[in-house]
């Protein structure tokens, strides 16, 4: 498969089968904003649930939080975003296109034939200018006198400003963490690659508060845990790697940073960042708010400002990673079969129930089985068309199991279970289906 066509095929499958639609499509679309359809919302939710389980439910030392998107504007002054959350931009006065100064070499000039910006004789590029990525809006009834507030560009700050609330209410002790999943907004200049870089997206972030001096050890520990999480998600380990940030790449807040990168059809790109933020955020909020944010260590009878190790992943970007990693096409009996080979536990539909034909009591038995297993798993009932076509439709959306009620079912109460990847079939008792699925949906 040519590399570019893989993405084209994936985008078209996502639209055709209801994973992802372009936002406001009937009005021509809104740039780099996407909507999740019936299957996409299930897939993304399963990924978020997996993250939440690993980060919050399965641990004693991490608490959950759901902070508001809107925060006091001073939060963004103290965090450095008002002054520093900027990209250098270059405009072309001829074609009015805008490019990130650090990406001109990879960008395409809209003029034909296709060249990089600045390479046509008619290109008229400006000097780079700094452009803030935060979306602004106005709070209050009257626009003129209202105060400017920002749509948060990251979820982390909601955690810092609540850290003492969470610490005191949960009776945690350092080291401990706070995890949050929520929307973030960035007015990205060169968005693209489908849901890889969008202007509205969801982050899954965790801030781990540690004693100063323990930060490097925890940073290393979280690096290991996060890489393992991606591997357990079923991603091909050969397509995952580390990208350490060198001095010049480090964000204003970071002492050390590593990205986890995935090899997409369009190249290696970041899917999660692990950052040692030191006490940058807490000390800035302490200064700006005038409120003491120190931790009192009772055992040692000392006070200190904790250091923070952050793990920051994008739910949409990881959804794209899971889709790209799972997508394959293969030749089966002279036909091309498209498959999304998801890890069964993240598949949007876990099992399809299919009566072989719509007669001989098969629909009734199939409906009864469907109503039974849907109590536990997300299932789909399909009685339309040839059985082979129905299997292919389920392969294309990544359903790991297809359960078929056939002529034998009425006589011996058995069904076939067809496996998505091997296409092999098992024959099992109809009343063993729920247990069979439970054992395999991990
Ligand atoms: P990039 O270099 O790709 O712009 P970043 O270094 O600015 O990313 P962070 O601020 O570290 O990203 O954000 C953490 C995670 O949030 C990223 O690894 C990514 O998964 C996700 N993310 C960031 N920006 C976007 C976006 N515009 N669209 C979708 N996901 C995003």
């Amino acid at each position: 498969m040519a590399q570019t066509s893989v993405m084209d095929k994936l985008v078209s499958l996502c639209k055709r089968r209801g994973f992802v639609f372009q936002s406001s499509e009937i009005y021509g679309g809104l740039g780099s904003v996407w909507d999740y359809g019936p299957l996409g919302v299930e897939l993304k939710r399963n990924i978020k649930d997996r993250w939440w389980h690993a980060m919050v439910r399965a641990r004693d030392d991490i608490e959950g939080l759901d902070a508001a998107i809107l925060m006091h504007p001073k939060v963004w002054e103290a965090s450095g975003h008002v002054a520093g959350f900027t990209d250098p931009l270059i405009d072309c006065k001829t074609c009015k296109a805008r490019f990130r100064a650090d990406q001109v070499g990879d960008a395409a000039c809209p003029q034909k034939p296709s060249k990089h910006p600045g390479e046509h004789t008619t290109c008229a590029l400006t000097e780079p200018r700094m452009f803030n990525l935060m979306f602004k809006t106005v709070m209050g009834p009257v626009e003129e006198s209202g105060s400017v507030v920002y749509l948060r560009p990251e979820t982390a700050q909601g955690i810092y400003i609540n850290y003492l609330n969470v610490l005191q209410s949960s009776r945690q002790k350092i080291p401990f963490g706070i995890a949050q999943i929520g929307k973030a907004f960035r007015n990205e200049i060169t968005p693209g690659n489908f849901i890889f870089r969008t202007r509205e997206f969801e982050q899954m972030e965790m801030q781990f508060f540690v004693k100063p001096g323990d930060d490097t050890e925890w940073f290393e520990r979280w690096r290991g845990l996060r890489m393992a999480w991606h591997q357990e998600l079923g991603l091909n380990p050969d397509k995952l790697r580390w990208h350490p940030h060198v001095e010049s790449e480090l964000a204003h807040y970071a002492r050390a940073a590593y990205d986890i990168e995935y090899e997409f059809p369009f190249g290696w790109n970041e899917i999660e960042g692990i950052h040692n933020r030191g006490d940058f955020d807490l000390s800035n909020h302490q200064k700006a708010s005038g409120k003491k944010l120190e931790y009192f260590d009772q055992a040692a009878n000392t006070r200190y400002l904790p250091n923070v190790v952050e793990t920051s992943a994008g739910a949409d970007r990881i959804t794209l990673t899971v889709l790209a990693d799972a997508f394959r096409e293969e030749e089966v009996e002279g036909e091309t079969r498209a498959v999304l080979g998801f890890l069964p536990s993240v598949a949007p539909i876990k099992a399809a129930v299919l009566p072989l034909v719509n007669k001989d009591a098969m629909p009734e038995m199939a409906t009864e089985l469907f109503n039974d297993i849907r109590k536990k798993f997300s299932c789909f009932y399909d009685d339309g068309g040839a059985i082979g076509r129905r299997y292919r439709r389920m392969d294309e959306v990544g359903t790991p199991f297809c359960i078929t009620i056939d002529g034998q079912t009425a006589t011996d109460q058995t069904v076939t279970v067809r496996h998505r990847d091997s296409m092999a079939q098992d024959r099992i008792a109809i009343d063993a289906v729920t247990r069979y699925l439970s054992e395999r949906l991990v």
Side-chain angles (χ1 to χ4, degrees):
M1 267 187 281
Q3 293 306 289
T4 46
S5 77
V6 176
M7 276 311 286
D8 292 344
K9 284 177 184 173
L10 194 58
V11 173
S12 126
L13 187 159
C14 282
K15 179 176 177 192
R16 189 161 31 83
R17 300 307 310 272
F19 282 92
V20 180
F21 309 123
Q22 194 181 10
S23 162
S24 321
E25 194 183 3
I26 60 168
Y27 290 102
L30 182 66
S32 280
V33 185
W34 299 88
D35 299 337
Y36 287 79
L39 296 185
V41 68
E42 292 286 344
L43 176 64
K44 185 163 134 180
R45 179 165 298 170
N46 291 340
I47 292 168
K48 290 189 288 182
D49 284 351
R50 240 181 123 78
W51 185 89
W52 192 259
H53 183 82
M55 300 299 273
V56 181
R57 299 242 165 97
R59 297 187 64 102
D60 296 329
D61 56 356
I62 299 188
E63 303 289 339
L65 179 74
D66 184 10
I69 288 171
L70 300 177
M71 285 177 247
H72 197 290
K74 284 191 177 158
V75 169
W76 303 108
E77 286 170 24
S79 69
H81 284 80
V82 171
F85 196 55
T86 49
D87 275 344
L89 287 192
I90 290 181
D91 289 302
C92 177
K93 289 185 176 156
T94 310
C95 62
K96 311 287 179 231
R98 192 166 251 195
F99 313 97
R100 251 170 75 171
D102 55 340
Q103 293 177 352
V104 166
D106 297 325
C109 172
Q111 301 185 72
K112 295 283 172 265
S114 177
K115 288 186 179 185
H116 296 306
E119 291 178 358
H120 283 284
T121 46
T122 48
C123 289
L125 301 184
T126 62
E127 287 299 307
R129 286 176 306 139
M130 297 313 267
F131 175 87
N132 197 297
L133 301 184
M134 282 198 294
F135 280 98
K136 276 184 199 167
T137 187
V138 175
M139 198 157 114
V142 189
E143 189 157 341
E144 295 72 43
S145 60
S147 54
V148 167
V149 289
Y150 301 96
L151 301 188
R152 66 181 176 198
E154 62 175 29
T155 59
Q157 300 302 324
I159 294 182
Y160 300 133
I161 59 174
N162 274 297
Y163 122 87
L164 276 186
N165 286 335
V166 175
L167 181 76
Q168 285 153 7
S169 58
S170 64
R171 306 179 63 223
Q172 285 280 0
K173 289 193 174 62
I174 279 184
F176 88 107
I178 305 176
Q180 165 161 241
I181 299 178
K183 290 267 185 173
F185 302 82
R186 295 182 188 178
N187 197 2
E188 301 274 10
I189 302 315
T190 48
N193 280 328
F194 194 33
I195 52 171
F196 176 80
R197 188 181 303 285
T198 55
R199 294 193 164 107
E200 173 177 341
F201 56 100
E202 257 180 305
Q203 287 189 312
M204 308 189 288
E205 293 198 306
M206 191 281 302
Q207 314 294 319
F208 205 75
F209 300 86
V210 303
K211 195 169 156 192
D214 291 351
D215 46 315
T216 306
E217 188 193 326
W218 275 104
F219 179 65
E220 289 307 320
R221 198 175 293 180
W222 276 110
R223 283 209 308 123
L225 288 169
R226 293 307 304 149
M227 184 59 103
W229 185 85
H230 289 280
Q231 289 170 353
E232 283 158 20
L233 192 56
L235 300 180
N236 177 352
D238 296 338
K239 293 194 169 192
L240 288 167
R241 74 174 185 195
W242 286 109
H243 168 75
H245 283 211
V246 294
E247 194 75 32
S248 58
E249 285 175 279
L250 279 182
H252 60 283
Y253 52 75
R255 278 185 191 167
Y258 272 74
D259 294 339
I260 296 177
E261 292 189 337
Y262 178 80
E263 190 180 18
F264 289 95
F266 46 88
W268 287 96
N269 278 284
E270 170 184 342
I271 57 172
E272 170 156 0
I274 326 288
H275 309 125
N276 181 347
R277 299 178 72 130
D279 68 2
F280 178 87
D281 304 273
L282 291 183
S283 70
N284 281 349
H285 284 307
Q286 180 166 271
K287 249 180 266 151
S289 67
K291 298 276 180 327
K292 277 254 168 283
L293 297 179
E294 285 175 337
Y295 172 76
F296 177 57
D297 184 337
Q298 259 177 334
N301 198 24
T302 52
R303 285 179 191 281
Y304 58 80
L305 215 47
N307 282 189
V308 173
V309 174
E310 169 184 69
T311 71
S312 174
D316 311 83
R317 205 173 275 189
I318 292 174
T319 301
L320 177 63
T321 313
V322 166
L323 281 162
D325 200 70
F327 181 71
R328 64 176 193 268
E329 284 182 328
E330 51 197 36
E331 289 299 310
V332 178
E333 291 163 9
E335 276 184 32
T336 305
R337 163 175 110 118
V339 187
L340 283 172
F342 299 132
L343 185 74
S345 68
V346 297
I349 302 171
K350 308 290 191 250
V353 177
L354 319 168
L356 186 62
V357 288
N358 276 318
K359 57 181 188 187
D360 302 334
M362 289 183 214
E364 290 76 12
M365 286 185 286
T367 306
E368 199 184 325
L369 176 66
F370 175 67
N371 284 333
D372 191 33
I373 56 179
R374 77 191 306 189
K375 289 181 198 142
K376 239 178 135 182
F377 308 109
S378 107
C379 300
F380 186 74
Y381 185 92
D382 189 3
D383 60 2
I387 192 75
R389 292 257 301 280
R390 281 183 269 166
Y391 286 153
R392 293 286 182 274
R393 285 203 291 263
M394 284 297 111
D395 292 342
E396 201 186 33
V397 298
T399 306
F401 303 104
C402 286
I403 298 153
T404 304
I405 312 307
D406 58 16
Q408 204 179 315
T409 309
T411 48
D412 66 2
Q413 282 76 51
T414 61
V415 294
T416 62
V417 182
R418 176 200 178 259
H419 297 248
R420 175 195 65 203
D421 297 326
S422 66
M423 293 181 284
Q425 298 192 12
D426 293 335
R427 188 139 209 127
I428 64 167
I430 200 164
D431 58 9
V433 171
T434 304
R435 200 182 65 231
Y436 184 95
L437 294 178
S438 305
E439 285 165 5
R440 286 159 181 82
L441 287 168
V442 284

